[in-house]
Amino acid sequence: MVSKPFTVDLNKPIVFQVGHLGEAYEKWVHQPIVTKDGPRFFANDFCELLTRTKWWVIPLVWLPVVCWLVCISTQRGLTPTEAALAVVGGIFFWTLLEYCLHRFLFHIKTTSYWGNTFHYLLHGCHHKHPLDGLRLVFPPAATAILCAPVWTMFKLLSSPSTAPALFGGGLLGYVTYDCTHYYLHHGKPSKGYGQILKRYDLNHHFKVQNKGFGITSSIWDHVFGTFPATQVSHISR
């Protein structure tokens, strides 16, 4: 007797269901449901609350941290010009990190129960429900966890006076990324660079999911050969 393929019930908490999809998860998660109402993740109300983040929480939490980090660098001897250059260097570093995280972590191929579950929480939910406004930006707690190894790297590779401003620049790049990403999904840029970025992101979601990993810039897609050959010709949302 042939077993029936597992089907996700969107009317029930979804996170602990997706792992059962196995090899079918990759195809399922890239078939987007274009509604503004996202699914419930967990049966537990507290866990569910932790998965929802308003976009404005990101600058509210992290911009003061950026300013604090730059102040530390100036207190440790950097001139304002040197601190500004370190911030710019951190922003540039973020563009590469943004690309690498999106390509190699957020789009990792999984088939196991826990692999599928982890991926759905990390990024799969965004591809499945791209208009879910409360699960688009990263919750601050998750960002803090990802920040730890980056901060350690900056401390090891730069001076005590440069590391805070460099890290602050990277954090500023992240804030710009998350706010830009939210705007691309929920704003309506009609011309200029915003329109170009929105088309680029739509192409990644709805046409070529294995290319176009840059959100704030396509520079690293050009460098590493993942710039999509074709793109959507118009904005449908």
Side-chain angles (χ1 to χ4, degrees):
M1 182 177 179
V2 179
S3 60
K4 187 177 180 179
F6 181 81
T7 302
V8 173
D9 186 349
L10 295 175
N11 295 314
K12 297 179 181 179
I14 195 171
V15 167
F16 294 122
Q17 294 187 65
V18 298
H20 295 294
L21 287 167
E23 294 181 355
Y25 170 76
E26 179 72 15
K27 180 179 180 180
W28 174 86
V29 83
H30 287 117
Q31 295 173 332
I33 298 174
V34 188
T35 62
K36 292 186 178 181
D37 296 323
R40 186 175 180 90
F41 275 25
F42 297 102
N44 181 276
D45 289 339
F46 180 70
C47 291
E48 181 70 9
L49 179 65
L50 293 179
T51 70
R52 299 174 180 269
T53 307
K54 296 279 190 179
W55 74 267
W56 48 261
V57 170
I58 305 307
L60 184 68
V61 169
W62 295 115
L63 287 183
V65 177
V66 171
C67 295
W68 175 66
L69 288 165
V70 174
C71 286
I72 290 177
S73 283
T74 58
Q75 291 170 0
R76 292 180 178 178
L78 287 194
T79 66
T81 299
E82 291 170 336
L85 288 173
V87 170
V88 171
I91 293 172
F92 181 75
F93 169 80
W94 165 259
T95 64
L96 178 59
L97 183 61
E98 171 193 311
Y99 173 87
C100 291
L101 286 173
H102 194 185
R103 179 180 179 182
F104 299 110
L105 180 60
F106 295 175
H107 280 266
I108 191 172
K109 308 296 184 185
T110 65
T111 58
S112 69
Y113 177 85
W114 290 111
N116 291 349
T117 302
F118 172 75
H119 180 267
Y120 183 81
L121 282 169
L122 183 68
H123 191 62
C125 59
H126 176 55
H127 271 266
K128 190 65 181 178
H129 292 87
L131 293 186
D132 185 348
L134 292 178
R135 296 195 179 97
L136 200 158
V137 299
F138 250 62
T143 302
I145 293 171
L146 291 174
C147 278
V150 178
W151 168 240
T152 301
M153 181 187 69
F154 280 146
K155 286 201 302 180
L156 292 173
L157 298 180
S158 59
S159 68
S161 59
T162 303
L166 199 60
F167 182 69
L171 201 54
L172 180 59
Y174 157 71
V175 171
T176 303
Y177 150 80
D178 240 357
C179 292
T180 298
H181 195 193
Y182 184 90
Y183 176 65
L184 296 181
H185 280 262
H186 297 278
K188 296 181 179 179
S190 59
K191 58 184 178 179
Y193 192 57
Q195 184 187 49
I196 293 171
L197 288 179
K198 177 150 186 152
R199 285 178 175 171
Y200 200 70
D201 193 50
L202 283 174
N203 192 71
H204 174 70
H205 276 277
F206 297 99
K207 196 168 185 179
V208 188
Q209 290 94 353
N210 62 349
K211 291 185 183 293
F213 297 105
I215 301 297
T216 56
S217 169
S218 63
I219 181 173
W220 297 112
D221 284 305
H222 284 286
V223 170
F224 295 115
T226 53
F227 186 83
T230 59
Q231 297 188 46
V232 292
S233 58
H234 67 280
I235 295 175
S236 58
R237 299 189 264 109

